[in-house]
Each structure stands twice: as C-alpha cells, then as structure tokens.
Amino acid sequence: MCDLFEWANECLFLSQMTSEKPPLPADGQRDEAEPGLGLEPEVTMETARDGWDSKVEYFLAQVGFSVGLGNVWRFPYLCHQNGGGAFILLYVLLMVLVGVPLFFLELAAGQSIRQGSIGVWRHISPKLVGIGYSSCVVCFFVALYYNVIIGWSIFYLGSSFKYPLLWETCPTEGNGTVKECAASSPTAYFWYRKALDITDSIDETGEFNPIITGCLLAAWVIVCLAMYKGIKSTGKVMYFSSVFPYVVLLCFLIRGVTLDGASEGIKFMFYPRLEIWADVQVWRQAATQVFFALGLGFGSVIAYSSYNPRNNNCHRDAFTVSGVNLMTSILATLVVFAVLGFRAKTIATECVKRIYYTEPLFANKLRKTTIIFCACFVQLGVEGTGLAFIAFTEAMTLFPGSPFWSALFFLMLLNLGLSTMFGTMAGILTPLTDTFKTLCNHKFLFTACSCAVGFLIGLMFTQRCGNYFVAMFDDYSATLPLIIVVIFQTFSVAWVYGADRFLEDLKLMLDRPVPVVYKYMWKYVCPVAMLGLLGASLLKMVLERPTYIAWNREKASKEDLPYPGWALAVLSTLIVVAFLPVPIGFIHSLLLERLGQSPADAEAGYMPCATTDTDQTPLDTLPPSAGDPSSFSPLLEENQDTHLQNGHIEHFQSSAV
C-alpha cells in the first residue's frame, strides 16, 4: 500500500507539470486478492470530470440557454397584451423576488455537488432522486418540439436568399390570385400553406412534409455535432451562437428606430396600464415567463454549473445572467415594437388612402387621430410562431433589401434556438452520464442515439397537422411538471436539507457570507409564489377547456378549436409521465428502507460516473472549519478524498464500483 500511495503522489506531481490529471485509485474501491496467490490488489481508475475551458464559455452557455426564442416572441406579445410598461414592472418584481433566488439555488447546488440534476437531488436525499429524472423527461419533451422550430427557421433562412421574397406577394392561379392568399395575406399564406401545408384540424393527420422533415434532420445533426464532445465542443460553439443574436438585435434596433411609425410603437410599449395588476392571469403569465426565461427546473442550469470550479462566484453569476436575460427581453421588445409600429403605420396609411377615395372628409378627420393606427396595432398581437413567421416577416418585406434583413433575422432565430437546445440536451445527457457509468464511457454513442431517437419521434411534428402537436407540447408537456419540480427542489433545499445549513455550505464554498434574506426567500416567498402559480394554472385548465388555434383553409383565417377527447388524453399523459418519476423515486427509496438496505447500498446501485474535480483550489479560498484544515462543508463531504499537494487542496470524488 505504501508503494501505491507513493505512485499516486508521484502522479499528482507530474500532473501539475503537464496540466493533465492521471487517473487515481479511489479509496476503498479495490478488490482484495485471494491469499496465497501472490496477486497485487486491483485498483479502479477514475478519469477527471470535464470542466469549462474559460469562464467566458460558461457565461455564454448559461446566457445562451436562458436567452431563447421566448425572449424574442413571447415576451413582446405578453408585454403588448398586458399593459406594456406595467407588465415590465411586474416582470422585474417577480424576477427579483422569485427568479433570481431560485436561479441562484440551482447554480449553487450544481456547483457544490458537481453532478447533474439526478445526482444533486439524490445527494440531498435518496427519496428525492425522482426530481432529477422528471427534469430529464421534461427536457426530452421540450427538445422534441423545440428542434422542430429550429427546423422551421432553417427553412425560412434558405427561402430568404431569393428576390423578391417568396412571401412578399400572393401567387397567381389562372387569371387571378390564389383565393386563400387574397383572403388572408401573402405571409400567412406562405406560412400555413407553403411551409406547413397545414390541415384544418388536429384530427386530420395528412402526410409528412418532406422539406420540413429534411430541415428537422439538419437541426438534429447540428445539435449532435455540437454536443458529441460534451461541453468541450459546446463551449466553442457558444462563442458564435450566443453572441451573434445580440449583433442582429442591435442592427434591427438601429434600423427600426429610423422607420416611420417606430416611435409610436415604442410609446405603446412603455405606456403603463397599472390596472392590469388586478388581474390574476396577468400575474400568472408574468410568473410563467420568469420561470421559463431562466430555465428553472430543466436541470440544464445545474448541469452547466456542475462543470465549474467550486470557488466560482455563482452568486454573482445569478445576478449577471438574470440581468442579461432581462435586458435581452427588453431589447427584443424594443425591436419588435419599433418594426411592428412601422408596419402598423404603413397599414394605417393604406387604410386612410382607401377611405379617402370614398369619404374624403371622414379620411381627413382620421388623419388627425390615432384611431386607425391603434386598431391596426392591436391586431398585431399574435403570439409565438405567428409573431416571428407572419407579422415580423411581413414587416421585413417593406424594408429596402428585404432578403438581407430576412436572412439576418432567421439566422438570429436559428442561433437563439440552438443555444437553448444545447442547454436542454445538457439537461438530459449530463445527469444520465453522471449517474450511469456505461453511458459515461460511451458519451458519443449515447449522444448520437439520443439525437436519432429525438428525430424519429419528432417526425410526428412534420406531418401536416404537426403544428398543432407543437402547440400541445409547448402548452402542456412542460409548464405544470416544471412548476412541480421547482416546488420540490425548493422544498428539498430549504426544508429537507435545511436553508441555514445550505447557506453555511455556500459560505465555505464561496469564502464569503451569503445574504440571509435568501433563507426566507427559499423557505417562504418562493414556495408560496410557486404554489400560487401552480394553483392558477390548474384552475385555468379546469375552468377553461383546452383549445388550440387552427387554420381554416376555406375561411382563410384562424379559429379556436377545442381539443378532441383523444388529444386531451395525450396531453394529460404528457403531464403525468413527466411528473411520475417523483413519486416512483420516493416509493422506491421507501421500499429499499423496508428491505433493510442502508442508504450507502441504495446509492451504490446507481454506480455514478467519475466526477473528479479538475480545479485546484488554493488553501486560502476554502477556510477550514472547526480548526481542521482538511475539513469541508457537510454538502461536500460525501464520497471525497482530499490530497494536499504543493499548497493546494485537490478533490477527488470516488464512485462505487
């Protein structure tokens, strides 16, 4: 054994010289040789856990995941529908009271335990392991339909390299314009008929759309290539995918504010209507937007932070990433309102011109008011894909050099979607590879198979009725399960592990005290807010039958249709399947206790992948506790060996083999 430890120390010294850490034997993980055979003990080797190459890569990854398509189309829509500046104030309030504390909790948990979501909550208590599995299931559901939206962006990006744009004018049929296009608009016709070739309802399946299927395949290939080396490859991609959207947004803002009507649109954005604060549904929408904007409950925040050195200032990161997310939402809303204000002013001018030929006196009177402008602008309140693929694309047809601006816009959407998709996939791959050693040893194969399965299941979204399934997954597969997951997460840290104990751990980890206000946020404010959001969401589902927006080909217009019975069964199944791992994990842990297995035996059954810390933390950044220089916080003690080498503490987490 002495020779063994001498070999280990020599390897430690060489690793500091070469910046490579060789695998080290894990204490207690060797097989005893049979007596009399003269065999040396067999030692299990561990490889170091991956880490970010730089803090910039980590920051861009967190920002890229949290800043997504919702910042560009959902936040502007909610701002328009719910009082403009009043909604922004409400959003900021909920971001400070709920968003930042919960975001900080996930950052700190992942960084301290250095595991994915499964390992983090199993570490807190084996009964809570189902929380991590629920996060993985929700991430998988989201990845299925989110990559379809990326495929749509690829299709529009390819269609932007034509002049004039294909959705700029209506196609002709015989001696006239296509009836469906003339009754709606060129952009709506191109979206519903050329891009989606959509059916009239979710009951009509239709055949596959070959072009969108090819775009979906391309999207999954891009994701696979960016993820196949884990964060080593993802981090490099983030330099472009996270930064480029801001360049495009600034270009659109500069171009937008110079357009006629942009100032009216921006005024409409900031005009406050504080009476909307009395509407419970507005609070629900603001809280939901905060919830999804920061990516809470997905496990992706935990996954990314688990690759950080333990003395990283995650408290500062929580405020920085949240602030960037908020500023991005406001910047995107400025761009959207400026461009759509220009579109509305153009439509209003055309309205006045048409009226002028029939009622000149009435038209002159309207010129002195904003009645038509306001009426036209309210009609722009389309949500989600409609804002990006219909209203905004129509506005860009009015720009000089419209193909350039169109290509720039959809390239921005592509990068926003991909950066969020990388984080979503990390929320699946990291917890599972940390938990199961076989998957850890075959990361590339596991990543490729996951993407292949995602593509095959995603074919359901490339049918002619696929857009309706996208809406179903977007509305119901993530919202309720994620709210429940975050409630359990907060309860686990604040009450099961203990808020005071967790704050003390963070003080040791960060070498600075954490404001005690977080204790009350985690124990009272956040749970009450999340329970209120859950109650409001459930109440809305019970009182209002779920509906979806369908496109009627004969009427050439949208209409709200109730989901049929089988669709209600599907969306209910999605919610149950996403939440089911939580009670299953709890019951499984109770059964293990009844069978007499110790917690150590139960945890050993997971056979977690190696999570050796690659950072070298100086002694002065981790103060000793109780006078013991090698002591660590309770959260960090489990499964750790501590080696002192050249004035640094190195951490090695062993896995049960």
Side-chain angles (χ1 to χ4, degrees):
M1 289 298 296
C2 293
D3 294 337
L4 182 63
F5 284 110
E6 289 176 3
W7 173 84
N9 289 329
E10 182 179 358
C11 287
L12 280 172
F13 177 77
L14 292 176
S15 67
Q16 292 183 356
M17 301 296 295
T18 61
S19 298
E20 297 180 12
K21 290 191 179 292
L24 291 174
D27 281 355
Q29 306 301 324
R30 58 186 179 86
D31 297 330
E32 296 293 334
E34 294 184 12
L37 296 179
L39 298 177
E40 293 295 328
E42 184 179 347
V43 179
T44 302
M45 299 303 201
E46 295 280 359
T47 56
R49 179 177 178 80
D50 289 337
W52 298 102
D53 288 340
S54 67
K55 181 63 179 287
V56 175
E57 286 187 6
Y58 163 70
F59 179 77
L60 292 177
Q62 288 285 20
V63 170
F65 170 67
S66 64
V67 176
L69 298 174
N71 297 78
V72 175
W73 61 40
R74 181 165 174 79
F75 186 86
Y77 164 78
L78 293 175
C79 186
H80 172 268
Q81 292 295 99
N82 297 308
F87 180 82
I88 295 177
L89 291 176
L90 180 59
Y91 181 81
V92 172
L93 176 65
L94 293 176
M95 175 75 79
V96 173
L97 294 180
V98 179
V100 174
L102 293 178
F103 190 64
F104 175 45
L105 184 148
E106 292 198 10
L107 287 176
Q111 181 174 306
S112 60
I113 301 176
R114 295 183 65 78
Q115 287 273 331
S117 56
I118 297 174
V120 163
W121 306 116
R122 179 172 58 86
H123 187 102
I124 298 294
S125 173
K127 295 183 179 67
L128 304 174
V129 68
I131 298 176
Y133 285 103
S134 282
S135 295
C136 292
V137 173
V138 173
C139 280
F140 183 68
F141 286 162
V142 171
L144 290 177
Y145 76 84
Y146 208 88
N147 233 15
V148 177
I149 301 175
I150 296 176
W152 294 341
S153 300
I154 293 175
F155 171 75
Y156 267 82
L157 177 62
S159 303
S160 297
F161 296 98
K162 294 182 180 179
Y163 185 81
L165 292 172
L166 298 177
W167 53 86
E168 190 168 331
T169 57
C170 286
T172 57
E173 186 178 48
N175 295 327
T177 305
V178 175
K179 182 180 178 181
E180 183 181 1
C181 182
S184 54
S185 67
T187 50
Y189 175 81
F190 184 85
W191 168 241
Y192 287 113
R193 192 56 50 214
K194 297 299 182 180
L196 302 179
D197 193 18
I198 201 167
T199 58
D200 288 347
S201 71
I202 196 173
D203 287 313
E204 304 175 33
T205 55
E207 63 276 3
F208 289 105
N209 187 323
I211 298 179
I212 298 299
T213 301
C215 293
L216 177 63
L217 177 61
W220 276 111
V221 170
I222 294 172
V223 171
C224 183
L225 293 177
M227 299 290 298
Y228 82 102
K229 284 186 177 180
I231 63 168
K232 293 300 182 183
S233 55
T234 305
K236 302 299 182 291
V237 177
M238 288 296 179
Y239 280 105
F240 180 78
S241 63
S242 295
V243 175
F244 180 74
Y246 290 96
V247 177
V248 177
L249 284 175
L250 289 174
C251 291
F252 267 102
L253 181 62
I254 295 172
R255 181 70 183 93
V257 296
T258 63
L259 298 171
D260 185 25
S263 59
E264 286 86 347
I266 294 175
K267 288 178 184 177
F268 191 89
M269 167 187 170
F270 285 108
Y271 181 78
R273 291 189 289 119
L274 296 178
E275 63 272 11
I276 61 100
W277 282 32
D279 188 352
V280 176
Q281 291 303 319
V282 174
W283 285 77
R284 183 188 66 84
Q285 290 179 331
T288 304
Q289 181 63 19
V290 170
F291 188 80
F292 282 101
L294 296 177
L296 301 175
F298 283 87
S300 304
V301 173
I302 293 176
Y304 277 160
S305 63
S306 70
Y307 297 109
N308 273 334
R310 286 197 181 89
N311 62 342
N312 174 65
N313 192 343
C314 56
H315 185 230
R316 180 180 59 196
D317 293 343
F319 278 93
T320 305
V321 175
S322 301
V324 171
N325 189 293
L326 174 62
M327 291 299 103
T328 305
S329 296
I330 295 176
L331 174 62
T333 305
L334 280 171
V335 172
V336 169
F337 272 71
V339 173
L340 296 187
F342 160 69
R343 175 181 179 268
K345 186 67 173 290
T346 303
I347 294 174
T349 303
E350 293 297 324
C351 291
V352 173
K353 286 181 179 178
R354 285 194 296 268
I355 295 174
Y356 182 78
Y357 291 105
T358 57
E359 298 289 342
L361 296 178
F362 182 60
N364 288 330
K365 188 175 182 180
L366 284 178
R367 289 179 186 273
K368 300 177 183 180
T369 67
T370 58
I371 296 176
I372 285 185
F373 171 75
C374 291
C376 293
F377 194 83
V378 169
Q379 294 175 1
L380 297 176
V382 289
E383 182 180 4
T385 55
L387 178 62
F389 296 105
I390 298 178
F392 212 88
T393 52
E394 181 177 340
M396 285 185 294
T397 61
L398 305 174
F399 285 12
S402 54
F404 168 77
W405 293 103
S406 178
L408 207 60
F409 175 73
F410 288 109
L411 187 58
M412 177 192 71
L413 288 188
L414 176 61
N415 281 274
L416 283 172
L418 285 174
S419 59
T420 301
M421 188 65 186
F422 297 153
T424 304
M425 290 299 293
I428 303 172
L429 302 178
T430 297
L432 294 177
T433 54
D434 281 348
T435 303
F436 301 102
K437 203 169 187 66
T438 301
L439 300 180
C440 178
N441 294 333
H442 302 87
K443 285 185 178 180
F444 173 71
L445 182 61
F446 178 49
T447 302
C449 290
S450 299
C451 292
V453 171
F455 168 72
L456 293 176
I457 299 178
L459 291 176
M460 66 182 293
F461 302 109
T462 64
Q463 302 176 91
R464 292 182 58 199
C465 63
N467 186 47
Y468 305 138
F469 285 99
V470 170
M472 179 193 297
F473 272 68
D474 188 30
D475 292 336
Y476 298 101
S477 69
T479 306
L480 287 178
L482 282 179
I483 295 173
I484 296 172
V485 164
V486 173
I487 291 174
F488 274 101
Q489 287 183 177
T490 310
F491 179 80
S492 301
V493 172
W495 295 96
V496 177
Y497 187 78
D500 292 323
R501 185 182 177 193
F502 190 62
L503 287 176
E504 185 63 25
D505 293 344
L506 296 184
K507 178 181 178 181
L508 294 175
M509 185 177 73
L510 303 177
D511 193 22
R512 58 178 58 85
V514 179
V516 73
V517 67
Y518 284 106
K519 170 184 174 180
Y520 303 101
M521 293 288 189
W522 292 331
K523 293 186 70 172
Y524 306 110
V525 177
C526 293
V528 169
M530 298 308 297
L531 288 172
L533 176 58
L534 178 62
S537 301
L538 289 173
L539 191 64
K540 184 175 185 297
M541 289 185 62
V542 171
L543 297 180
E544 299 179 13
R545 181 184 175 93
T547 61
Y548 66 99
I549 298 176
W551 178 259
N552 188 298
R553 184 168 190 166
E554 293 298 325
K555 299 178 181 178
S557 63
K558 295 182 293 184
E559 58 182 354
D560 283 337
L561 296 179
Y563 279 109
W566 66 266
L568 291 176
V570 170
L571 63 89
S572 299
T573 302
L574 292 175
I575 297 173
V576 172
V577 169
F579 170 66
L580 201 57
V582 176
I584 290 178
F586 184 81
I587 295 173
H588 175 70
S589 180
L590 288 180
L591 291 177
L592 289 177
E593 290 182 359
R594 290 292 181 90
L595 294 174
Q597 285 192 336
S598 65
D601 294 334
E603 291 184 14
Y606 287 93
M607 296 185 65
C609 178
T611 55
T612 304
D613 194 351
T614 58
D615 67 302
Q616 292 183 344
T617 306
L619 286 172
D620 57 0
T621 64
L622 282 176
S625 62
D628 184 359
S630 64
S631 64
F632 294 90
S633 66
L635 191 63
L636 306 178
E637 285 177 352
E638 188 171 324
N639 293 333
Q640 287 191 340
D641 302 320
T642 307
H643 299 271
L644 185 61
Q645 182 76 13
N646 291 343
H648 291 78
I649 289 180
E650 297 188 12
H651 312 285
F652 301 95
Q653 289 182 310
S654 304
S655 63
V657 178

